[in-house]
Amino acid sequence: MRNVRVFDGVSGQAQDGMDVLVEGSHIVGVSSSPVAGSDGAFEVDGQGRFLMPGLSDAHVHLMGNANSMVEFLQGPTGALYGNTIAEAKRMLLRGFTTVRDMGGDTAPVKSLIDRGVFEGPRIFPSQAMISQTSGHADFAFVYDTPEEFGGKPSRTEDIHFTRVADGVPRVLAAVREQLRQGASQIKLTLGGGAASMYDPLNTLQYTPDEIKAAVQAASDYGTYVATHVYTPAGIARAIDAGVASIEHGHLADEETVKRIADAGVWLSMQPFAEADHHYPDPVRAAKNTEICEGTNQVYEWARKYAVKTAWGTDLLLEPQSAPRQSEMAARLGEFYSNAEALKMLTSGNAALFELAGERNTYRGGKLGVIAEGGWADMILVDGDPLQDISLIGDPDTNFKMIIKGGAVVKNDL
């Protein structure tokens, strides 16, 4: 690609008049001087446009994004996966070339995408969200008998969206089950949430011994545990048990955010606004409001204490809201400078993904950067997101070319 303004994902600024050479699936050269490709190479004149790494999302639910609760509970299983594959392509066409899936049976979808059978982003699957009975990922009906007392798994467990496990032995088995199924990292739910029916936000879920067991089982496989949790008490318990990533954290106080920084733990936040999710009952709607009201303050403290912060969306069970992913990426500019936001959306998230160690199947290249040896995942933008980050909120109009692994998946030039 010739004559582009390159934002490399790391430096925080862009360089004009650059050439980028791609061979196969990787970037092999980035230069201010003309680079020579092989005979017959496909050449693109960027005409001075902005070239950036592909976007990433550290907290998606591909299956949850693509299907409603009714579809989860009553729809044919094949349709659930069909909808997931379709959403994966739409997500790629929004410019998201890598995502970390935080709950859902996406390892088979990842395999199909990686083999080139379908189009979609690179996926770091967590497989089923692991929850205690009555916890955030317990989607059984209130009248269902828990498995511990001889009941059957819920529908969401049957389709590997969730796994309910109580006590150290079952937690160990649940973690190992997800690793067997292809999880890159483990997702544990340690507190209440807006989408769940039985748990107020202030609940503490899983005992310290249960959490430590999950961390040990993940560590034995060279990977880590990420935890859904909002409150100071829940975050403290997670840090004490050795988790590597706090998912959400919107109700944290300043002391807790400082502790996250001091412990070197990641904070995987989402810039939630109330309109991102819709709940039919007043209890869950009130929980959603409380979570959203904490967003601004926690971001402020995270910047103050230089917390390792990742960005994600956590859109769930409302397929019509899936395109908000782009809007939420642009919204990150309300809390960070445009350069800081773009770095988080590219190389920043990638640093979190790399905690998966050898469970990361994309170790053959660097993610989130435009640099020699990086995966050739790139977006050619009409306009400069460093000056106007709202451009990434409208990928249909402003993303003129999207490349993943050296293959052009969109070309509007």
Side-chain angles (χ1 to χ4, degrees), residues 62 70 116 177 200 249 275 305 357 382 402 410:
L62 262 171
V70 171
E177 176 190 33
Y305 294 107
D382 202 6
I402 299 172
K410 175 184 177 180

Side-chain angles (χ1 to χ4, degrees), residues 216-282:
Q216 182 65 62
S219 177
D220 287 346
Y221 267 67
T223 189
Y224 68 98
V225 171
T227 53
H228 162 104
V229 62
Y230 287 106
T231 64
I235 293 168
R237 182 174 287 189
I239 293 173
D240 288 342
V243 307
S245 175
I246 302 297
E247 305 298 312
H248 314 314
H250 293 69
L251 303 182
D253 55 24
E254 184 171 3
E255 180 182 354
T256 299
V257 174
K258 183 178 185 300
R259 187 176 178 201
I260 292 171
D262 292 342
V265 171
W266 281 85
L267 176 63
S268 177
M269 274 276 286
Q270 303 76 36
F272 285 143
E274 283 198 67
D276 292 333
H277 299 91
H278 305 88
Y279 297 103
D281 60 285

Side-chain angles (χ1 to χ4, degrees), residues 26 97-100 106-107 109-115 120-125 184 353-354 356-368 373-375 377 404:
H26 289 72
T97 55
T98 304
V99 300
R100 188 177 61 145
T106 53
V109 177
K110 164 191 166 63
S111 177
L112 292 168
I113 291 172
D114 289 349
R115 286 162 44 200
R122 304 180 191 278
I123 301 174
F124 285 77
S184 301
F353 302 160
E354 289 168 1
E358 293 189 5
R359 306 292 292 182
N360 169 13
T361 61
Y362 309 115
R363 298 189 308 280
K366 190 74 173 173
L367 291 166
W375 289 104
D377 302 342
K404 181 201 164 196

Side-chain angles (χ1 to χ4, degrees), residues 38-344:
S38 58
D39 291 342
F42 174 60
E43 190 169 301
V44 176
D45 181 0
Q47 299 179 346
R49 289 185 175 90
F50 189 93
L51 186 71
M52 63 177 289
L55 297 169
S56 60
D57 189 329
H59 195 120
V60 302
H61 295 277
L62 262 171
M63 183 170 279
N65 247 14
N67 295 280
S68 68
M69 179 60 82
V70 171
E71 288 169 318
F72 265 112
L73 297 179
Q74 299 180 353
T77 303
L80 295 175
Y81 287 93
N83 290 339
T84 301
I85 290 167
E87 175 57 25
K89 181 172 182 178
R90 290 190 292 266
M91 197 171 285
L92 178 61
L93 292 177
R94 292 196 287 270
F96 290 90
T97 55
T98 304
V99 300
R100 188 177 61 145
D101 192 279
M102 299 310 290
D105 188 21
T106 53
V109 177
K110 164 191 166 63
S111 177
L112 292 168
I113 291 172
D114 289 349
R115 286 162 44 200
V117 178
F118 295 108
E119 289 185 314
R122 304 180 191 278
I123 301 174
F124 285 77
S126 301
Q127 291 303 100
M129 297 180 280
I130 302 173
S131 169
Q132 68 174 43
T133 298
S134 79
H136 177 63
D138 181 359
F139 286 92
F141 293 111
V142 68
Y143 49 76
D144 288 335
T145 300
E147 272 193 272
E148 193 73 21
F149 303 132
K152 296 180 179 180
S154 67
R155 167 64 171 162
T156 58
E157 290 185 86
D158 283 341
I159 59 174
H160 308 296
F161 187 66
T162 64
R163 169 61 72 203
V164 173
D166 295 297
V168 168
R170 283 183 177 262
V171 169
L172 287 171
V175 170
R176 292 164 180 164
E177 176 190 33
Q178 309 323 309
L179 294 167
R180 182 180 68 186
Q181 292 178 350
S184 301
Q185 62 285 316
I186 296 300
K187 166 76 173 297
L188 214 62
T189 63
L190 302 189
S196 42
M197 296 175 285
Y198 311 127
D199 51 348
L201 292 176
N202 64 354
T203 57
L204 283 168
Q205 299 176 17
Y206 276 131
T207 65
D209 285 345
E210 289 170 317
I211 305 167
K212 289 175 183 177
V215 169
Q216 182 65 62
S219 177
D220 287 346
Y221 267 67
T223 189
Y224 68 98
V225 171
T227 53
H228 162 104
V229 62
Y230 287 106
T231 64
I235 293 168
R237 182 174 287 189
I239 293 173
D240 288 342
V243 307
S245 175
I246 302 297
E247 305 298 312
H248 314 314
H250 293 69
L251 303 182
D253 55 24
E254 184 171 3
E255 180 182 354
T256 299
V257 174
K258 183 178 185 300
R259 187 176 178 201
I260 292 171
D262 292 342
V265 171
W266 281 85
L267 176 63
S268 177
M269 274 276 286
Q270 303 76 36
F272 285 143
E274 283 198 67
D276 292 333
H277 299 91
H278 305 88
Y279 297 103
D281 60 285
V283 173
R284 283 184 289 174
K287 289 194 288 184
N288 182 53
T289 298
E290 185 177 353
I291 290 165
C292 293
E293 288 175 348
T295 301
N296 291 16
Q297 186 64 80
V298 173
Y299 269 129
E300 182 179 324
W301 289 327
R303 291 192 72 186
K304 177 179 178 179
Y305 294 107
V307 174
K308 294 187 292 186
T309 308
W311 171 89
T313 49
D314 194 32
L315 296 168
L316 187 64
L317 302 176
E318 295 181 87
Q320 70 277 11
S321 296
R324 279 185 175 268
Q325 184 180 34
S326 299
E327 176 188 328
M328 291 177 72
R331 196 185 299 160
L332 192 57
E334 297 177 14
F335 310 99
Y336 292 86
S337 72
N338 292 348
E340 290 170 329
L342 290 178
K343 286 195 289 185
M344 193 183 299

